[in-house]
Amino acid sequence: MDLQLSPEQEALSRTLRQFARKELAPHSAAWDRSGQFPAEAWRRMGELGILGLRIPATYGGQEADFLTYGIAMEEIGRGDFSCTYGIQLAGLAGEILGGSAPEALKARWLPPTAAGEAVVALALTEPGAGSDAANLACRAERDGDGYVLTGEKSGISLGMAAHAAIVFARTDPGTRARGITAFLVEKGTPGFTVVKTEDKLGIRASDTAELLFERCRVPANNRLGAVGQGFKIALATLDGGRIGIAAQAVGIAQAALDTARSYALEREQFGKRIADFQAIQWKLADMATEIDAARLLVHRAAWLKQEGRPHTEAGAKAKLFASEMARRQTAEAIQILGGYGYTKEFPVERYYRDAKITEIYEGTSEIQRLVIARELLGLKA
């Protein structure tokens, strides 16, 4: 693995950093307060090709490697954390639809997703199936030339803003993982409703919704992959998705360090800058070291994935370390700013609130430790 980014990746990083600083960061506090989906920012990311990074070129995407995708997640995360989940969802849609959908669905949904004109949510989690993702209760029963879906999904990111959802449902009630199948369900389909959205601690501009399916009829052509292969699709997606979440965490921690460093160089106490005190210097040094360590774990996992090598353990390690690092170091940024850090006058309190979710979604830290331990000990899931 070459630790040096390519000239193209370096250029992309600079471009996205400037975009995030100028077009996202100035609005991030307002989006957080309102809890509104930043549709215009989404479209701008589509215009820049950011949403199409993991979508095949045939359908208007960039078909970029996974390390480039990770770099984009980090840079956008430095500007607005909620917007990074837009990149995450577009990437997941590109992988799932690009690999498992019939041609008609690819042609209908992938180009507008890449352009920022459509949002496709991922609906796996249920009230009784969070970490135990195979314990799905949502059912899909075959009925003539289609399927009838009945059940609910909870904690669905951008479930309200989405135009369609990739829904995982049980087609064989007598099994667990082997009885799950994936479907693409469009908004407006009779029986598919958004029941409510959550009032959350962080990532407030990315809505989190509860979806309800009441005898929702879905054409058989909207099935993704073979019957019973849904959980396999979900797990493969989560392996890569965790790397994306880790990159998100690195981005928000870097934003916290940037703010804390600038503040320390300007704030004076006892007749000198607080950056001149060893206590502050050591905090900044620890922040920089842990961020670099997390970034290297992310880049290694991304490289393994794009090389087609096993990356389950590497992705879990990256997400575990990066997410817990982000929570710790955004808290340290608040400490460096002192009382100001606890106010909304500065962005570090928002960074802290946003960072917490990285320890929870797409597999909690506890689940990541289980994944790592099973790989280490050679245990079956």
Side-chain angles (χ1 to χ4, degrees):
M1 175 183 175
D2 187 355
L3 296 179
Q4 180 65 44
L5 299 182
S6 70
E8 293 77 15
Q9 290 168 334
E10 292 277 12
L12 177 69
S13 180
R14 289 191 299 270
T15 298
L16 296 188
R17 190 172 306 170
Q18 183 178 36
F19 167 74
R21 184 172 63 249
K22 291 186 175 181
E23 299 192 38
L24 301 182
H27 308 289
S28 193
W31 293 335
D32 176 75
R33 286 192 300 271
S34 70
Q36 294 298 309
F37 173 67
E40 183 56 37
W42 189 283
R43 284 190 288 272
R44 281 289 292 129
M45 290 195 294
E47 291 171 4
L48 290 173
I50 305 170
L51 299 179
L53 287 171
R54 295 297 297 160
I55 291 176
T58 309
Y59 303 100
Q62 307 299 312
E63 209 165 326
D65 60 55
F66 209 79
L67 178 54
T68 300
Y69 170 73
I71 292 166
M73 292 285 280
E74 177 182 340
E75 295 298 347
I76 295 302
R78 292 174 73 168
D80 182 80
F81 192 79
S82 292
C83 286
T84 61
Y85 207 75
I87 306 173
Q88 179 86 348
L89 274 188
L92 295 176
E95 290 204 15
I96 295 175
L97 298 182
S100 304
E103 180 58 35
L105 288 185
K106 294 179 186 178
R108 173 172 169 76
W109 287 102
L110 290 179
T113 298
E117 298 167 356
V119 180
V120 179
L122 189 71
L124 176 63
T125 304
E126 297 181 6
S131 293
D132 184 9
N135 189 38
L136 296 186
C138 185
R139 305 190 313 277
E141 301 170 325
R142 187 69 196 235
D143 183 31
D145 60 352
Y147 291 84
V148 175
L149 272 61
T150 304
E152 59 182 314
K153 296 290 180 179
S154 60
I156 307 306
S157 296
L158 292 176
M160 175 64 78
H163 301 87
I166 296 170
V167 181
F168 296 86
R170 186 168 300 286
T171 46
D172 185 347
T175 60
R176 275 175 57 84
R178 289 181 291 105
I180 295 171
T181 304
F183 302 88
L184 183 76
V185 187
E186 298 184 29
K187 284 280 186 70
T189 302
F192 176 14
T193 56
V194 178
V195 179
K196 66 171 184 176
T197 57
E198 304 294 346
D199 188 7
K200 307 192 301 294
L201 174 73
I203 58 166
R204 294 177 54 80
S206 171
D207 73 72
T208 299
E210 181 179 315
L211 312 181
L212 182 64
F213 300 92
E214 299 175 291
R215 295 201 58 79
C216 175
R217 186 173 182 82
V218 180
N221 288 338
N222 279 38
R223 192 185 71 221
L224 307 177
V227 173
Q229 292 296 302
F231 197 67
K232 183 178 179 182
I233 292 171
L235 287 183
T237 302
L238 288 175
D239 275 350
R242 287 166 179 163
I243 303 171
I245 299 299
Q248 283 182 318
V250 172
I252 200 163
Q254 184 65 57
L257 174 57
D258 294 342
T259 303
R261 178 183 177 276
S262 295
Y263 182 86
L265 288 168
E266 294 176 2
R267 174 69 166 168
E268 290 190 3
Q269 289 288 277
F270 305 102
K272 56 183 178 180
R273 303 174 308 175
I274 65 171
D276 294 320
F277 292 104
Q278 188 180 69
I280 300 300
Q281 292 172 0
W282 283 15
K283 286 182 182 296
L284 293 170
D286 286 344
M287 290 178 76
T289 300
E290 288 204 6
I291 290 169
D292 269 357
R295 183 178 289 116
L296 287 170
L297 283 171
V298 171
H299 286 194
R300 182 187 67 163
W303 179 80
L304 288 170
K305 177 175 171 55
Q306 71 192 33
E307 291 293 309
R309 301 190 185 191
H311 58 277
T312 298
E313 181 181 356
K317 286 178 177 176
K319 184 182 184 296
L320 173 64
F321 184 81
S323 63
E324 295 192 348
M325 175 279 297
R327 187 248 307 151
R328 285 193 303 272
Q329 301 308 343
T330 52
E332 282 292 74
I334 293 175
Q335 196 71 18
I336 290 170
L337 270 67
Y340 287 115
Y342 202 69
T343 71
K344 293 186 183 294
E345 182 178 348
F346 288 86
V348 289
E349 62 82 28
R350 185 176 73 252
Y351 297 156
Y352 180 70
R353 290 188 287 108
D354 285 350
K356 180 58 189 174
I357 192 60
T358 62
E359 296 181 283
I360 299 172
Y361 63 8
E362 298 218 24
T364 63
S365 290
E366 291 74 19
I367 290 297
Q368 304 316 308
R369 288 184 167 90
L370 284 176
V371 171
I372 295 164
R374 285 170 177 166
E375 291 289 326
L376 182 66
L377 298 171
L379 302 176
K380 291 185 178 180

